[in-house]
Amino acid sequence: MFIRNGLRYVDAKSISVLEIGFGTGLNCFITLLEAGKKVDYVGVEAYPVAKEEVEKLNYVVELEAQDKETLFEKIHEVSWEEKQDITPDFSLTKRKQFFAEITDENYFDLIYFDAFGAKVQPNLWTEDIFKIMFAALKPEGVLVTYSAKGSVRRAMQAVDFDVERLPGPPGKREMLRATKVSGE
Ligand SMILES: C[S@@+](CC[C@H](N)C(=O)[O-])C[C@H]1O[C@@H](n2cnc3c(N)ncnc32)[C@H](O)[C@@H]1O
């Protein structure tokens, strides 16, 4: 859904993506598989997951992407804190950082906001955090997330995002897409 409502929605030949919660690198890998455009990907994660733990999850087999296994390994092997080329069209910067410490400005076209849910970590679904996300996006940039809670939507609107509620796939959660509308 991050792909359909985010990656495919942003109409550009090259795109910068910020992932909030790099975790196991699954969204990063799927983005690499599906991109069809040049991607500058930044994954922020305060608690990096060990490569051995990630391998146990068997993503490559589940995604039937055995021919891309070396790329999945490369995502996990490259060092943190510097931009690394995974393919000529896909660069990755893994940053060990708390979300509240993000200071990028007008840089990203797209944010995958994949933090744990508001029930688990309410402090991550606040105006303070969305203000940081708003600043990090370029004008017309979008943030997508799995949550359609009214309180989350209101926190986004309070920092000037234009917010749409999007249906999830059958039986799945709805999503929100927040756009940094320029000129507001
Ligand atoms: C839902 S998981 C992300 C899953 C990930 N997108 C993937 O593809 O595997 C949320 C992630 O946010 C990280 N996290 C939680 N609080 C954080 C914070 N305040 N700053 C940075 N990372 C945080 C967690 O360690 C976890 O990996």
Side-chain angles (χ1 to χ4, degrees):
M1 292 304 278
F2 282 124
I3 301 297
R4 169 139 62 94
N5 293 321
L7 187 67
R8 301 239 165 85
Y9 175 78
V10 177
D11 183 21
K13 287 209 182 83
S14 103
I15 182 173
S16 46
V17 180
L18 171 65
E19 182 171 23
I20 292 301
F22 180 77
T24 64
L26 178 61
N27 288 329
C28 174
F29 186 49
I30 295 175
T31 301
L32 169 55
L33 298 178
E34 299 283 332
K37 50 182 109 181
K38 233 176 158 28
V39 180
D40 170 9
Y41 198 99
V42 175
V44 172
E45 172 59 59
Y47 310 101
V49 182
K51 185 164 176 270
E52 302 72 52
E53 294 302 314
V54 172
E55 279 165 359
K56 285 186 205 154
L57 300 171
N58 231 8
Y59 287 154
V60 173
V61 173
E62 284 194 16
L63 292 167
E64 296 180 8
Q66 285 89 340
D67 57 331
K68 299 285 193 308
E69 182 155 19
T70 50
L71 296 178
F72 184 70
E73 285 169 1
K74 200 166 174 190
I75 285 172
H76 289 285
E77 279 163 8
V78 292
S79 57
W80 287 65
E81 315 306 340
E82 48 193 6
K83 196 186 235 188
Q84 304 278 357
D85 285 333
I86 305 299
T87 72
D89 282 335
F90 192 101
S91 71
L92 170 64
T93 311
K94 296 185 286 187
R95 295 199 325 221
K96 186 172 181 306
Q97 187 181 32
F98 285 103
F99 305 141
E101 295 168 350
I102 292 171
T103 56
D104 304 82
E105 281 186 25
N106 288 313
Y107 187 81
F108 294 99
D109 297 293
L110 174 63
I111 296 177
Y112 297 158
F113 195 84
D114 196 20
F116 290 126
K119 274 195 194 140
V120 185
Q121 285 191 291
N123 58 321
L124 298 181
W125 298 84
T126 57
E127 284 182 38
D128 283 351
I129 293 289
F130 291 128
K131 208 178 277 175
I132 291 170
M133 302 300 135
F134 190 90
L137 285 170
K138 292 178 191 163
E140 306 301 330
V142 299
L143 174 154
V144 275
T145 193
Y146 283 105
S147 174
K149 281 182 72 138
S151 57
V152 171
R153 208 170 66 231
R154 285 189 292 278
M156 291 172 169
Q157 286 164 336
V159 303
D160 274 352
F161 272 120
D162 215 58
V163 188
E164 305 160 79
R165 200 201 279 243
L166 306 170
K172 290 273 174 65
R173 290 170 293 174
E174 291 180 302
M175 297 186 83
L176 293 177
R177 182 167 53 215
T179 304
K180 178 174 180 172
V181 178
S182 52
E184 282 195 349

